[in-house]
Amino acid sequence: MEILNRSIIKDLLKSAKKEDLDHIVNVKGWVRTKRGNKNVAFIALNDGSIIHSIQIVVDLANFDEEVMKLITTGSCISVNGKLVESMGQGQHVEIQATEIHVYGTADAESYPLQKKGHSLEFLREIAHLRPRTNTFGAVLRVRHAMAYGIHKYYNDNGFFYIHTPIITGSDAEGAGAMFRVTTMDAKNPPLTEDGKVNYAEDFFGKETNLTVSGQLEAELAAMSLTKVYTFGPTFRAENSNTPRHLAEFWMNEPEVAFNEIKENMDLAEDFIKYLIKYALENCMDDLQFLNDMYDKELLERLNFVVNNDFMRLAYTEAIDILMKSGQSFEFPVSWGVDLQSEHERYLVEKHFQKPVILTDYPKDIKAFYMKQNDDGKTVRAMDVLFPKIGEIIGGSQREENYDKLLNRIHEMGIPEKDVWWYLDTRRFGTAPHSGFGLGFERLILFVTGMANIRDVIPFPRTPMNAEF
Ligand code: 4AD
Ligand code: MG
């Protein structure tokens, strides 16, 4: 077979010009379908660069019948052929094959994606193969674009990317749902004299866990670089089997010195609108596919969010609205309760019909680091609530006053020895500052219109599931 430079299928489909026609090109990819008759075969070939496949037209008179039999759905081939204008609908170029090499066959009997239209539940069981479907190709390209968009937004706005640790000795959110990191023998751990597990003998000489958030370390960097962000995997061992929770998920957390809660809200709104706009401008083929296949209102919803102001109100006002709503919620509402997804979605989808930013939550349902309001009851928390998702961002202004922070740490029973370094920022050159965490997979859920968080991360980790 003649060796040619490989063309990317996206480039051929999107940017082929008149003068490119009638040249011999090479494409490599995976066969999505093969159909035809005894004279001609039409192969839809996809290399993942774009949702669309390129059509390969094979004049069977010129090809070995035995080789053609190897070309089935899922097989991987390399094709040389003439790029020509397509007479078929939906594409403007196709390839008339002159040479074909089969890299890898996919036995039609055993290849699980032989047929189209598998359920998303079934595809979760073959997470190692599902990137080969149109749906997961689309989701993974959008996910990439959103990760890139995040870095681009911050870079263009003067933020610095801080790599915060994954193994930590502190519990940022105080929720206690952490995965322990240890090299101790689980059956026979070293014990102290009074029979407790002796972490002093563990790898780090203390108890360590996988991080639930990079915030505390990001705050340290913001006290020097002013505008910073982290973006990495975070881990929560809570046993929540819901369509919106993962045990391992990615979180993006900006932290800005001198920002108060108002600027924090402005940043969150500007940032998330930027990302959705970025998706609309750069991922339209994939979004159109997802819109048509899964969620007919997806594009409308994305445009709506970009073009409308978010509603901003205090938790106390939201509780008022919920209590007067006449709705019968599964979890009853009263001042002081943590809002459930059903409450958040009522506010967003029914009452305001737009994204909502709630602030000033009761201090008892929020983390120790949030700035305390003068009322002694609430803290300067900020959650951004989205249609179909509920909470997509959680954040706050931080308590910058040393004494107030220390008090709260004592009140909540957090060992001071675990956070002495965090307290130091309030001892040396403290400053007002704010930040938030965007749940990356929740963003991808919103942007793709997918309904289950397990379908927007390549290899989901949930209770009882870490197969791949
Ligand atoms: O509200 P959370 O717990 O906030 C923090 O961790 C803060 N330290 C962030 C900060 O201020 N820098 O989590 C932030 C976001 C949530 O709004 C949600 O979108 C997402 O992370 N999230 C999850 N996503 C998937 N699975 C889970 N188990 C999640 N828990 C939180
Ligand atoms: Mg939260």
Side-chain angles (χ1 to χ4, degrees), residues 394-463:
S396 71
Q397 186 169 342
R398 319 305 187 189
E399 181 55 77
E400 82 270 21
N401 179 289
Y402 179 84
D403 294 323
K404 287 189 182 167
L405 182 62
L406 188 62
N407 264 338
R408 195 71 190 129
I409 282 171
H410 288 157
E411 264 173 31
M412 294 179 78
I414 298 166
E416 213 178 310
K417 67 168 181 26
D418 288 353
V419 290
W420 63 270
W421 44 274
Y422 184 73
L423 281 161
D424 260 7
T425 53
R426 276 66 171 174
R427 289 174 63 208
F428 307 121
T430 192
H433 60 290
S434 301
F436 58 80
L438 167 74
F440 187 57
E441 284 73 22
R442 296 204 183 163
L443 171 75
I444 308 302
L445 274 179
F446 184 73
V447 172
T448 60
M450 300 300 282
N452 193 308
I453 201 162
R454 293 164 181 78
D455 298 332
V456 296
I457 185 165
F459 302 104
R461 267 83 184 98
T462 48

Side-chain angles (χ1 to χ4, degrees), residues 280-411:
L280 286 166
E281 283 167 4
N282 294 279
C283 308
M284 205 38 165
D285 286 347
D286 291 321
L287 295 183
Q288 188 68 55
F289 169 82
L290 294 163
N291 185 90
D292 297 346
M293 294 293 291
Y294 291 100
D295 181 349
K296 297 276 186 292
E297 283 148 25
L298 174 63
L299 292 173
E300 196 186 312
R301 199 179 314 113
L302 296 180
N303 279 302
F304 180 85
V305 168
V306 169
N307 294 319
N308 286 279
D309 289 342
F310 296 2
M311 185 70 205
R312 299 180 182 190
L313 71 160
Y315 166 93
T316 303
E317 297 167 67
I319 291 292
D320 225 41
I321 292 169
L322 291 167
M323 287 175 57
K324 288 184 185 142
S325 70
Q327 298 280 312
S328 59
F329 295 114
E330 188 189 338
F331 296 90
V333 185
S334 62
W335 199 94
V337 302
D338 205 356
L339 295 185
Q340 303 292 326
S341 177
E342 56 172 342
H343 309 133
E344 297 173 343
R345 292 182 62 174
Y346 174 82
L347 291 169
V348 172
E349 291 165 19
K350 297 238 169 65
H351 191 82
F352 292 112
Q353 300 187 339
K354 49 157 72 176
V356 171
I357 309 183
L358 282 189
T359 55
D360 302 294
Y361 283 72
K363 66 177 187 200
D364 292 334
I365 57 171
K366 290 294 184 185
F368 73 94
Y369 51 71
M370 295 195 183
K371 186 172 174 68
Q372 297 157 37
N373 283 323
D374 293 337
D375 62 11
K377 292 193 306 193
T378 60
V379 286
R380 222 162 277 179
M382 166 194 110
D383 279 6
V384 180
L385 313 180
F386 256 43
K388 297 195 76 166
I389 308 292
E391 180 188 338
I392 193 165
I393 281 177
S396 71
Q397 186 169 342
R398 319 305 187 189
E399 181 55 77
E400 82 270 21
N401 179 289
Y402 179 84
D403 294 323
K404 287 189 182 167
L405 182 62
L406 188 62
N407 264 338
R408 195 71 190 129
I409 282 171
H410 288 157
E411 264 173 31

Side-chain angles (χ1 to χ4, degrees), residues 169-181:
S170 59
D171 178 1
E173 294 304 301
M178 297 198 289
F179 290 100
R180 177 153 303 150
V181 175

